[in-house]
Amino acid sequence: MTLLLAIVTGILFTAGFYLVLRRSLVKVIFGLMFLGHAANLLIFNIGRLTKGAPAFILEGNQTAVEPYAEPIPQALILTAIVIGFGVQAFAIVLFKKAYQMIGSDDIHSLKSTDRIA
Amino acid sequence: MKSIILQTATRYLLPILLLFSFFLLFRGHNSPGGGFVGGLVAAAAYALYSIAFGVEEAKKLLRIEPVYLIATGLMFALISGMIAFFSFDTFMTGKWSDFNFPLFGKLGSPLLFDLGVYVVVIGITLKILFTISEEVKP
Amino acid sequence: MLLFSVLSGIFVACLVPFLFKLGRKPGSLIISLVPLSLFLFYLFNFGISDNLGYYESFDFFPALGVNLNFVMDSYALIFALIITGIGTVVFFYSSYYLAENPYLDRFYIYILVFMASMLGIVISDNMVIMFIFWEFTSISSFMLIGFKHREEKSRYSAWQALLVTGSGALALLAGILLLYLITGKMNFSEINSMPQIIQSSTLFLPAMFLVLGGAFTKSAQMPFHFWLPNAMEAPTPVSAYLHSATMVKAGIYLMARINPAFQGAIEWETTLSVFGGITMLFAAYMALKQIDLKRILAYTTLSVLGTLTLLIGIGTPAAMQAMIVYLIAHALYKGTLFLVAGAIDHGTGTRNIDEIGGLKKFMPITAIAATLAALSMAGVIPLFGFIGKELLYEAALEHSLVDYATFGAVFFAALFGVVAAGMSGIFPFFGKAKYPNEKPHEASFIMTTGFVITAFLGLLFGLVPMLVSDNVAKATSDVYYNLPLAVGSSMQLALWHGFNSVLFLSLGTLALGIGILMFRAKLFPIIRKINLPEFLQPSKAYDVSTAILIGSARLTTKILQNGYLRNYITLILLTLLLLTSYSLFAFSDLSVISLYYPVTFYEITIAVIISISAVLVIKSSGRLQAVAALGVVGIFVAIIFSIYGAPDLALTQYSIETLTVILFVLVIYKLPKFLNYSKFSHRLQDFVLAALVGLTMTILILMVTANELPPEFKDYYGQTSYILGKGRNIVNVILVDYRALDTLGEIVVLSLAALGVFALLKLKKDDGDSI
């Protein structure tokens, strides 16, 4: 599965970056979400896959017994998922606001706002 | 889109979901769950309610402005870190009670921290959802 | 106890808004009790009862050796008493001086923070902790110089001070780290006991110059002096406190504090002597050219800072003793003179020395204090300044490096000092009465009481030097490596040294200075006309370099940040691609990648579904379709999590997926339809780039997973999670216990995102234009 998951991650990255490069606001948001999934899966895969053995210390034991999944990437991803939600919400609202104010879905029409004289 | 079926179902689902979120929060230290998941489930419960009855009703039910939830949660988390100061340890050193409480098991500062996370997550999610849906209506 | 004494200032700073609810006057008076009580605390605990050497330590960041170590020795005590003592005077003074100012509460917040951090600098034993307080003083100084923030000049000066001292502080940090590399120690007390190791290291010179970079900028030595006269834009009590008595002495403090480690090195002594000497002489001359009272005082302060540096450079026990005495004397008389300048400004509305004179009729109390301070500054017997000047001459006479040059410089600087003392402390009050507009008035009781006390202390210490003698001797041995006991105990201060060359020198300087003052009507116009050469005015260099910095920032922004998101991302991706693929192909062996991993049917199914959904999102023309496809991706990612031992992740992913869909449903109908803006060639180009990056990522993952994962971390958490963290769910224990600080940061970020959403949506369109 490691190989397969690596390929899936690659596809998600491709889709994410392709969408982020688009000019349509909504597509950029979708791209961000893809990138979030891709990054999470990358970290998860790099922590090595352990099938069906969560990082728990079983009742009655003092320490964890192999095999169990690597806990650190999981902790990283867990917060990343929630933070990703916050970022998504922010991005969605930001783009929505931009759309309202500029009246266009085209990112290129946003460019004048941060041009420096 | 007010549907009787959804409203009736939500009335029963909301307390169950909230109870479930508490359950997730408190057993999080030993089994799957924890502050993040618990908070999300609780927020989802209110979101469901707001879909069924409208945002205004959901807000009324919540009673507290979500920003206060955010602040309260952050304060819990911060306080849990400062408990260690009482025994002159560094910030965020975990402190545990020595005896078992019924239902909860051992109480400790990490649990308070998790509670803080739980409250913050509810606050954030609801703040976002409420603000956005308020904006949508008019 | 020491930690608390430092933090109390910051604590009270947090309470200022509430104290001001009691009314401005009572509020400011209550706040002024803080430095007073700290002063008494230090005085009774360490000054009178012999608690010196008291050491206190709290763990802060033990893994890096950064701990809250505080020590109170004689040297630190002298500084602590100056900081809180002058602080008390300044705090009370400000409550009247700035009584009309609408931002008085802010002023007290800044100055309380400043006082606390200054105390932090002088009693920290740990270098990094000292550095943190050091930065705090820079920031509070920035706030205070820019206190009149509506004035362009104030803002300019504030920036200048911050940039100069801030970049110096960066050098200081690097110096501290080099010292740590050499010795492996973070405490002054440890570093000061190993001068041989430090001075024989190859890193000695870099470390020394970096530390000096911090000290010279803070204490305004040439060529970094220019910010100090400009800092006079600050309210006068601030100038008295920060830019004369305390903050600018932080550099001096540091040089003397670290002196035992560098002592004896020829580079150390030469650098300090040369820079100190030049600053001393140049600034003393510049003082005579000024007509603004505060600028005169600023330049004489600079001159004194140069003198103190020079004395540390001379490096004999006698010079160190002179340094400490001079420092105390200067804090007393210069603090007084600054506050007097404020009182004159208050009373007459001007600080131009040509416009005022004979004020003693109107401001008798101020006149007495000013005269005493000026006499001390000029080094007239029996004031404390006289003892300082005697010791200075003695030290200069025995300097071994550049005898005549040093001596000449000291002589002329002292001479100009006498003249400047006359200009700033005597002539405004004596002679024919003149003032610009309405009748001058005496400052209020609280204002005058403060500087009268400091002025009389100068007299008291001069008459009864035994009061400070012991402490000065002990402080000298604090900043001197292995000072023999006999030398230390023989260093008693005395007003009368007998008829010797030093006395005649003092008298000669005084006589010449008075001579110049007598003929000032003829001499001053000439002095004011002689301009110093360009290279002695490095403030130009400051202006040029900030202009270059801003210009280049503007240029890079124009090129790189041209407003097209697509260009930014393309650039980032290309860089990423080039760097990663280069290191992948140049340094690694791609053949380690194994393509034989066991795969089951349902795993293939999951992969195919995710891939198809991804393609669907890209190709779909409807928004709802795309949202649904995205949801599918999310759900199947969650399924992957749940299969491979991450139930927590799966749960979180499911709930987030639900919420995301709700979010989209709420917003999506307001958004426009999918439109294709780009040309086909652009899309093709983007796709190729994205696919290449995706491929690189895949190879990267396979490369990494081909190697064994080091088991230490996993084992550590697996072994200790239940025993230390009392939890069976290791992931959750990491989140709420091991790495709780990170989680705290993350929930703060989340809160900000929520507030950001709120703020964005409440932003009205017409408001948006004006922002």
Side-chain angles (χ1 to χ4, degrees):
Chain A
M1 182 65 183
T2 304
L3 175 67
L4 210 54
L5 196 55
I7 294 171
V8 169
T9 313
I11 291 174
L12 287 179
F13 267 119
T14 308
F17 281 126
Y18 177 74
L19 285 173
V20 166
L21 284 164
R22 305 273 50 78
R23 279 166 68 177
S24 158
L25 284 172
V26 192
K27 288 190 178 173
V28 174
I29 299 179
F30 288 170
L32 284 177
M33 298 177 65
F34 270 121
L35 289 180
H37 286 313
N40 288 345
L41 284 182
L42 178 131
I43 299 172
F44 192 63
N45 204 351
I46 281 177
R48 306 300 185 274
L49 302 177
T50 316
K51 203 181 252 183
F56 290 146
I57 296 165
L58 298 178
E59 205 65 51
N61 288 353
Q62 289 283 311
T63 55
V65 186
E66 291 280 0
Y68 59 97
E70 174 81 37
I72 305 164
Q74 291 195 22
L76 292 176
I77 297 170
L78 202 141
T79 42
I81 295 174
V82 184
I83 291 245
F85 174 71
V87 172
Q88 259 168 44
F90 189 77
I92 289 174
V93 172
L94 182 70
F95 285 157
K96 176 169 173 272
K97 199 74 196 172
Y99 174 59
Q100 277 177 0
M101 290 177 76
I102 286 154
S104 164
D105 180 32
D106 184 0
I107 283 187
H108 281 196
S109 52
L110 288 174
K111 131 182 192 303
S112 59
T113 52
D114 60 61
R115 181 189 261 159
I116 289 185
Chain B
M1 50 166 190
K2 293 208 168 149
S3 93
I4 297 282
I5 300 176
L6 187 61
Q7 288 189 347
T8 321
T10 308
R11 243 178 269 239
Y12 291 104
L13 274 175
L14 181 74
I16 297 176
L17 279 172
L18 284 181
L19 210 60
F20 179 57
S21 80
F22 275 121
F23 170 70
L24 280 175
L25 166 67
F26 284 111
R27 68 170 212 151
H29 220 55
N30 294 320
S31 331
F36 279 111
V37 186
L40 288 172
V41 169
Y46 278 105
L48 182 67
Y49 194 86
S50 69
I51 288 176
F53 294 92
V55 178
E56 286 310 313
E57 289 297 311
K59 272 187 174 170
K60 247 181 241 162
L61 188 73
L62 185 65
R63 291 220 183 103
I64 315 165
E65 161 67 7
V67 169
Y68 292 127
L69 285 179
I70 299 179
T72 317
L74 286 177
M75 211 163 67
F76 280 164
L78 212 58
I79 289 174
S80 83
M82 297 202 278
I83 287 177
F85 289 162
F86 289 111
S87 54
F88 293 98
D89 279 312
T90 45
F91 187 57
M92 292 260 168
T93 309
K95 289 285 159 199
W96 291 91
S97 66
D98 289 332
F99 51 95
N100 284 304
F101 287 89
L103 261 106
F104 298 112
K106 281 185 176 157
L107 284 182
S109 61
L111 211 60
L112 183 62
F113 185 85
D114 221 4
L115 183 67
V117 173
Y118 174 83
V119 177
V120 171
V121 169
I122 298 180
I124 292 161
T125 320
L126 291 183
K127 185 76 206 165
I128 291 175
L129 285 178
F130 287 171
T131 332
I132 288 179
S133 52
E134 243 172 50
E135 185 69 10
V136 167
K137 243 195 288 164
Chain C
M1 195 161 65
L2 289 178
L3 175 69
F4 180 75
S5 72
V6 170
L7 292 184
S8 59
I10 291 170
F11 180 68
V12 178
C14 300
L15 297 181
V16 167
F18 304 103
L19 288 174
F20 265 65
K21 291 247 165 75
L22 302 171
R24 294 161 56 85
K25 194 110 271 176
S28 42
L29 290 180
I30 291 175
I31 293 163
S32 308
L33 293 177
V34 175
L36 180 63
S37 41
L38 283 174
F39 178 78
L40 296 175
F41 166 75
Y42 291 130
L43 187 68
F44 285 106
N45 255 308
F46 302 103
I48 293 172
S49 75
D50 206 16
N51 253 338
L52 287 171
Y54 176 80
Y55 202 93
E56 196 175 88
S57 176
F58 297 102
D59 278 359
F60 181 65
F61 202 157
L64 288 183
V66 178
N67 292 317
L68 295 164
N69 298 342
F70 296 113
V71 66
M72 184 58 97
D73 56 8
S74 293
Y75 181 60
L77 177 67
I78 287 173
F79 270 93
L81 288 180
I82 290 178
I83 293 163
T84 50
I86 304 278
T88 309
V89 173
V90 165
F91 274 54
F92 277 111
Y93 183 94
S94 309
S95 69
Y96 281 83
Y97 186 81
L98 292 173
E100 310 293 315
N101 195 300
Y103 299 125
L104 186 61
D105 43 353
R106 282 189 206 171
F107 173 83
Y108 275 113
I109 293 177
Y110 301 151
I111 207 160
L112 273 167
V113 170
F114 167 76
M115 183 193 71
S117 30
M118 196 64 211
L119 283 174
I121 291 182
V122 299
I123 62 174
S124 297
D125 192 29
N126 191 290
M127 294 193 291
V128 174
I129 298 294
M130 186 224 56
F131 173 78
I132 293 172
F133 286 122
W134 182 281
E135 288 287 62
F136 261 113
T137 61
S138 294
I139 293 167
S140 42
S141 152
F142 169 75
M143 298 293 206
L144 286 166
I145 297 174
F147 188 63
K148 298 174 217 154
H149 57 271
R150 287 178 204 285
E151 286 166 32
E152 165 93 48
K153 234 181 131 196
S154 284
R155 296 200 300 270
Y156 172 83
S157 307
W159 270 116
Q160 196 178 45
L162 183 70
L163 288 178
V164 174
T165 55
S167 31
L170 285 181
L172 172 63
L173 180 64
I176 290 174
L177 294 179
L178 282 189
L179 283 175
Y180 178 66
L181 278 185
I182 298 172
T183 59
K185 306 283 187 222
M186 274 291 185
N187 292 328
F188 284 116
S189 48
E190 292 165 326
I191 284 194
N192 282 344
S193 64
M194 40 179 77
Q196 291 87 2
I197 298 172
I198 292 174
Q199 291 180 21
S200 59
S201 159
T202 46
L203 291 175
F204 165 57
L205 282 186
M208 184 193 96
F209 282 119
L210 286 170
V211 169
L212 281 184
F216 277 8
T217 46
K218 197 81 168 177
S219 281
Q221 297 297 304
M222 291 274 283
F224 307 114
H225 65 280
F226 51 89
W227 69 265
L228 185 55
N230 286 343
M232 294 300 130
E233 287 302 319
T236 307
V238 173
S239 311
Y241 193 33
L242 272 73
H243 305 122
S244 174
T246 56
M247 189 186 81
V248 288
K249 302 256 174 67
I252 306 290
Y253 166 83
L254 176 67
M255 287 188 275
R257 173 57 88 198
I258 212 160
N259 179 56
F262 293 157
Q263 185 181 317
I266 192 80
E267 297 89 346
W268 171 251
E269 298 187 345
T270 318
T271 316
L272 291 190
S273 303
V274 169
F275 281 89
I278 293 177
T279 310
M280 169 181 77
L281 190 58
F282 157 81
Y285 179 75
M286 284 299 287
L288 302 189
K289 289 166 59 78
Q290 310 301 321
I291 49 169
D292 180 347
L293 254 182
K294 277 180 77 179
R295 285 184 88 89
I296 299 177
L297 295 174
Y299 276 106
T300 53
T301 303
L302 265 181
S303 173
V304 170
L305 293 171
T307 315
L308 297 175
T309 309
L310 170 69
L311 283 170
I312 299 173
I314 293 175
T316 55
M320 282 302 181
Q321 187 198 22
M323 192 276 288
I324 292 165
V325 170
Y326 212 71
L327 185 123
I328 303 172
H330 174 256
L332 290 175
Y333 71 70
K334 194 55 68 64
T336 311
L337 284 177
F338 263 113
L339 297 177
V340 164
I344 292 177
D345 195 4
H346 217 252
T348 66
T350 184
R351 296 196 307 250
N352 185 334
I353 54 165
D354 290 343
E355 291 180 11
I356 47 177
L359 294 177
K360 74 168 188 306
K361 249 197 300 189
F362 311 102
M363 312 172 77
I365 306 173
T366 311
I368 294 172
T371 312
L372 275 178
L375 292 180
S376 184
M377 180 173 168
V380 175
I381 206 164
L383 287 129
F384 199 47
F386 172 74
I387 301 183
K389 198 140 287 180
E390 293 261 293
L391 292 172
L392 169 64
Y393 271 129
E394 251 169 50
L397 281 176
E398 60 180 43
H399 190 199
S400 56
L401 281 173
V402 266
D403 285 311
Y404 294 108
T406 315
F407 177 72
V410 169
F411 177 77
F412 279 107
L415 177 62
F416 296 151
V418 172
V419 179
M423 286 161 68
S424 58
I426 305 285
F427 288 122
F429 295 99
F430 296 92
K432 218 177 90 206
K434 55 176 173 178
Y435 44 86
N437 8 11
E438 79 257 43
K439 227 168 172 191
H441 58 86
E442 179 62 290
S444 66
F445 174 71
I446 288 208
M447 274 169 82
T448 50
T449 310
F451 57 72
V452 165
I453 292 176
T454 50
F456 270 97
L457 274 179
L459 180 63
L460 181 69
F461 287 166
L463 290 172
V464 199
M466 283 101 80
L467 286 174
V468 284
S469 195
D470 259 1
N471 235 317
V472 169
K474 276 189 213 145
T476 310
S477 61
D478 285 337
V479 293
Y480 207 84
Y481 182 64
N482 270 348
L483 188 69
L485 263 177
V487 180
S489 53
S490 71
M491 291 196 305
Q492 290 298 320
L493 299 180
L495 193 59
W496 186 248
H497 283 236
F499 289 102
N500 52 15
S501 49
V502 172
L503 178 68
F504 288 114
L505 269 173
S506 291
L507 292 180
T509 326
L510 209 55
L512 253 176
I514 294 172
I516 294 180
L517 284 171
M518 301 274 265
F519 294 100
R520 67 184 189 283
K522 291 222 177 70
L523 285 175
F524 277 12
I526 303 175
I527 293 176
R528 281 178 195 170
K529 235 176 254 163
I530 306 174
N531 282 319
L532 288 173
E534 284 275 311
F535 68 90
L536 282 174
Q537 297 172 3
S539 55
K540 292 238 166 61
Y542 167 83
D543 286 335
V544 171
S545 51
T546 43
I548 291 176
L549 190 70
I550 293 171
S552 57
R554 207 165 275 212
L555 194 70
T556 29
T557 314
K558 227 173 177 176
I559 295 171
L560 294 178
Q561 217 167 349
N562 49 14
Y564 293 103
L565 181 65
R566 184 167 168 268
N567 290 8
Y568 303 169
I569 295 173
T570 309
L571 201 65
I572 294 170
L573 289 185
L574 277 177
T575 318
L576 172 85
L577 202 58
L578 280 177
L579 291 179
T580 345
S581 52
Y582 172 70
S583 55
L584 264 184
F585 291 107
F587 304 114
S588 357
D589 180 14
L590 287 181
S591 63
V592 295
I593 293 177
S594 147
L595 296 179
Y596 302 100
Y597 286 98
V599 173
T600 55
F601 176 69
Y602 67 85
E603 286 168 346
I604 297 177
T605 320
I606 294 172
V608 168
I609 292 177
I610 291 182
S611 312
I612 290 177
S613 316
V615 175
L616 261 179
V617 175
I618 293 176
K619 297 300 289 176
S620 75
S621 52
R623 293 155 302 178
L624 209 56
Q625 256 172 298
V627 173
L630 251 177
V632 171
V633 174
I635 296 293
F636 276 86
V637 168
I639 291 178
I640 294 179
F641 287 148
S642 57
I643 296 174
Y644 289 96
D648 283 305
L649 297 190
L651 273 173
T652 316
Q653 185 75 55
Y654 283 129
S655 353
I656 285 287
E657 237 19 85
T658 319
L659 288 170
T660 312
V661 170
I662 297 178
L663 198 66
F664 267 107
V665 168
L666 285 173
V667 175
I668 206 89
Y669 287 103
K670 292 276 161 180
L671 288 177
K673 279 221 168 66
F674 271 16
L675 290 173
N676 277 323
Y677 290 108
S678 322
K679 283 183 281 191
F680 177 72
S681 63
H682 275 176
R683 274 182 298 186
L684 186 67
Q685 185 195 326
D686 292 345
F687 181 75
V688 171
L689 182 63
L692 281 176
V693 175
L695 185 66
T696 319
M697 288 301 185
T698 305
I699 297 175
L700 212 62
I701 295 172
L702 293 175
M703 290 288 299
V704 174
T705 45
N707 298 306
E708 272 295 310
L709 189 67
E712 293 93 329
F713 297 115
K714 183 182 179 184
D715 283 352
Y716 172 75
Y717 290 119
Q719 300 296 320
T720 58
S721 170
Y722 187 67
I723 296 163
L724 296 179
K726 312 271 189 286
R728 297 185 179 280
N729 181 352
I730 304 176
V731 176
N732 199 55
V733 174
I734 292 178
L735 281 175
V736 300
D737 200 336
Y738 290 111
R739 311 296 312 163
L741 193 60
D742 298 352
T743 313
L744 181 64
E746 274 144 4
I747 54 178
V748 170
V749 170
L750 273 173
S751 314
L752 290 180
L755 293 181
V757 167
F758 180 70
L760 267 177
L761 285 182
K762 296 293 161 189
L763 190 80
K764 294 282 174 300
K765 187 171 181 182
D766 40 52
D767 291 347
D769 292 336
S770 61
I771 284 174

